[in-house]
Amino acid sequence: SSLAVFVWCGSAALQMQAGGSQAGPSSREEPAGRPSGKKASVPMEEELRGRSWATPPDRVSGRKRDGAELARCSGFWSAEGERAEAAASGSAAGERPSKSPRRDGETALVHPRAELDDLQRGLVRQFVSTIDANEESIVITNPRAQGNPIVWVTRPWQDMCGFTYGEAVGRNPRLTQGERSDPAVVSAISGALKQERPCKVAMVNYRGGEGGPAFWNMLSISPLLHRGQLQLYIANLQDYSYHMGQMVSLTPSQFCRAALHYRRGRRLDAPLTSLSLAKPAIYEADGEHPLQPAPEPPPAQPMMRRLGWNKLVLEPEHLADRVGDALSRIDAQYELAERLASGESVVVSARSGDVVMRVLVSEEADGHYSISCARLSGDTFSYHAAFRQLKAALGEALTQHPLQSRGFVTPPTGAARGALPLARALPALTAP
C-alpha cells in the first residue's frame, strides 16, 4: 500500500511540474438549477479561488441558480476558505472545504455584512457546531440589531426559501411572505418575539419572495441566550406542502402558538437532532448559567386499553388536523375536546355509529409522537372496524419518511385564525 501511495504522489508531482491540471480527481460539473433534496456536489476549490462575496440582484423570484452559486453563498466552508474569500486576492484557497457534515464550529463562515458583535459571532459558531448544516433548514437572526436582520442561513434554507445567503443577509425574515401569508399570524409572531418567547408557526411562504411558488412552512422559533440575555433567534423550517396536500375534508389553517411548554431550557452541549430542532425551546449558551425552569409535565391520562400508533415524526398540530380530516372522511362526528397546555397533547372526542371513542395525540418520552384511541362505548367489533377505517384514512401520516414538497393547498380565507381547524360545530360527545 505504501508503494501505491508513493507511485500516485509521484505521478501527481510530475503532472504539476509539467504545468498540467490540478492533482487529484477532477471536480464534476453540477447541472444548472437548485438541487432538490440531494446533497450538492460542488467544486468548492474553484469557488473559493479568487471569489469575493458577490451579492446577486436583490429580487430573485423564480430565478434558478447553479450549484456553484449556492456553494459560494452557503457559508459552509473552512477557516482557510473564509480568509481567502474575505481577502478576494485571487490566490488559491487553503485546505479543501469539507463536503461532509462537520460540527467543529469552523464551518460557520459568517457573511461580512452580517450585523453581529464578537460575542454573537462566537454564539453562531457554537450553535452551528451542534447541527448538521447540510441537512437542517435553519436561519439565525439578530434581535439586537434594528429590524431583526438575518445573519446566517444553511444551504437547505436557501433551497427552501429561494434566496442565497448573500441575498438574505441583513434582511428581515419576512422576505418570504406574500399575499396569502396571514397578517394575524405575522402579528402574533412579532408579539412572541417582543416578549422573547419561543413559538411554533404554520404559515404560507413564497420561494424567492412574493410572486414565487407558495409553500406551507412549519416553523419553530427559539431564542438563544447568553447568561440569560437574549442574543439571537434560531428558526427551524420544514416544508409541509406535501402533508397539507393529503388532507381531503379539512382545509389547513395558519397559526402561531407560544405555548407554555415551549419555554423549556436547552443547552448547546450535545448535537441537536431534527426532532429536537423542530421543538421550540430557550437555548442557553453558557454551560454554567441556570436554565429556564422546566414546565410541569402533562397530567396523567386515565388508564384504559388503547389502540394506536407511535414513533411518529409529524408535528402534533398537524397530526391533530389529520385525525379530524380522517374522522370526517369516515363520516364520524368529532370535536376537539381538549388541548393540554402543559404538553404536546390534543384530545379529540369522536362518534362513529354506535361507537364513542377518544383519540389522543401526545408526545412520547423519546420526543416522538403517538396517536392512541380508547373506546368509551359501543361493542368491540364495531370499535375495531372504526379503528381500521381511521387507520386507512390517516394513511402516510402513520409512517416515517422524509418531508416532501408537492402540491400546495390553498389556505382558508375569512376562517378562524390561530386555532386547530377541527371546526365542525357539534354537541359534546359523551358515552350514553
Side-chain angles (χ1 to χ4, degrees):
S1 59
S2 59
L3 178 59
V5 172
F6 175 80
V7 172
W8 186 89
C9 293
S11 63
L14 288 175
Q15 289 181 359
M16 295 178 65
Q17 290 176 1
S21 60
Q22 182 177 347
S26 60
S27 301
R28 295 180 298 171
E29 294 185 0
E30 285 293 316
R34 192 179 301 111
S36 176
K38 298 181 179 179
K39 296 180 181 178
S41 176
V42 179
M44 289 286 202
E45 306 96 323
E46 298 177 9
E47 288 306 312
L48 287 175
R49 185 182 299 113
R51 294 269 189 164
S52 62
W53 280 99
T55 302
D58 192 54
R59 293 293 299 173
V60 296
S61 177
R63 182 169 66 84
K64 293 185 176 181
R65 306 174 183 82
D66 59 21
E69 183 180 7
L70 286 173
R72 187 174 71 252
C73 298
S74 68
F76 196 68
W77 299 335
S78 65
E80 285 77 4
E82 177 178 359
R83 287 191 289 270
E85 191 69 15
S89 61
S91 60
E95 70 178 27
R96 180 187 180 92
S98 172
K99 293 182 181 179
S100 60
R102 294 175 58 187
R103 302 181 184 274
D104 58 6
E106 287 298 304
T107 56
L109 174 59
V110 177
H111 196 290
R113 289 194 287 107
E115 298 183 52
L116 294 167
D117 58 29
D118 291 342
L119 171 62
Q120 291 173 319
R121 287 178 181 271
L123 294 177
V124 169
R125 293 181 182 275
Q126 183 180 356
F127 178 81
V128 173
S129 71
T130 68
I131 67 171
D132 185 346
N134 278 336
E135 298 292 338
E136 310 297 346
S137 179
I138 300 288
V139 57
I140 302 178
T141 64
N142 181 6
R144 302 175 74 88
Q146 185 176 4
N148 191 28
I150 293 172
V151 295
W152 196 83
V153 298
T154 61
R155 184 177 300 175
W157 182 93
Q158 298 170 70
D159 297 340
M160 182 181 298
C161 296
F163 293 90
T164 64
Y165 186 13
E167 293 166 330
V169 67
R171 300 176 64 180
N172 188 277
R174 290 191 296 266
L175 79 173
T176 58
Q177 295 174 14
E179 179 182 2
R180 293 180 180 173
S181 302
D182 189 345
V185 172
V186 175
S187 177
I189 296 172
S190 298
L193 298 186
K194 287 179 181 177
Q195 298 180 50
E196 302 182 10
R197 293 183 177 179
C199 58
K200 175 77 67 66
V201 178
M203 69 181 306
V204 177
N205 284 146
Y206 295 82
R207 289 187 177 86
E210 187 167 10
F215 69 98
W216 277 96
N217 184 5
M218 187 69 74
L219 179 67
S220 299
I221 304 176
S222 302
L224 174 58
L225 313 182
H226 181 261
R227 298 180 182 176
Q229 298 297 314
L230 177 65
Q231 298 293 334
L232 301 166
Y233 274 114
I234 311 293
N236 177 77
L237 288 71
Q238 301 176 79
D239 187 342
Y240 259 58
S241 300
Y242 169 75
H243 298 301
M244 298 296 190
Q246 301 305 299
M247 297 174 61
V248 176
S249 299
L250 294 181
T251 303
S253 293
Q254 303 179 63
F255 65 82
C256 173
R257 292 181 61 210
L260 179 64
H261 64 277
Y262 293 154
R263 302 177 201 175
R264 49 199 160 202
R266 186 179 294 161
R267 298 203 184 277
L268 300 178
D269 55 0
L272 296 172
T273 65
S274 298
L275 197 60
S276 61
L277 287 167
K279 301 176 187 293
I282 299 178
Y283 292 98
E284 173 55 59
D286 190 319
E288 298 181 355
H289 192 83
L291 290 176
Q292 294 284 330
E296 296 182 3
Q301 294 297 309
M303 295 296 295
M304 60 181 66
R305 186 176 180 181
R306 294 175 178 170
L307 300 174
W309 309 271
N310 60 3
K311 301 296 182 183
L312 306 180
V313 297
L314 296 182
E315 297 295 316
E317 293 87 355
H318 179 68
L319 287 174
D321 281 0
R322 295 292 288 272
V323 168
D325 181 71
L327 289 169
S328 180
R329 291 165 64 183
I330 65 175
D331 295 324
Q333 295 178 314
Y334 68 92
E335 67 174 1
L336 177 63
E338 186 179 7
R339 179 188 289 280
L340 303 179
S342 56
E344 298 278 16
S345 299
V346 180
V347 181
V348 180
S349 296
R351 175 184 287 146
S352 178
D354 295 331
V355 175
V356 175
M357 58 183 175
R358 175 178 295 153
V359 184
L360 174 66
V361 178
S362 59
E363 184 176 4
E364 299 181 292
D366 64 357
H368 288 86
Y369 301 101
S370 65
I371 300 175
S372 58
C373 304
R375 177 171 61 96
L376 302 181
S377 70
D379 66 86
T380 302
F381 180 82
S382 299
Y383 169 60
H384 281 251
F387 178 81
R388 288 192 295 270
Q389 286 182 307
L390 179 62
K391 177 181 179 181
L394 283 170
E396 53 76 40
L398 306 178
T399 63
Q400 297 189 58
H401 56 83
L403 294 176
Q404 302 177 55
S405 176
R406 296 188 184 177
F408 174 76
V409 181
T410 303
T413 56
R417 306 294 184 178
L420 247 68
L422 302 180
R424 298 177 69 182
L426 299 172
L429 300 175
T430 57

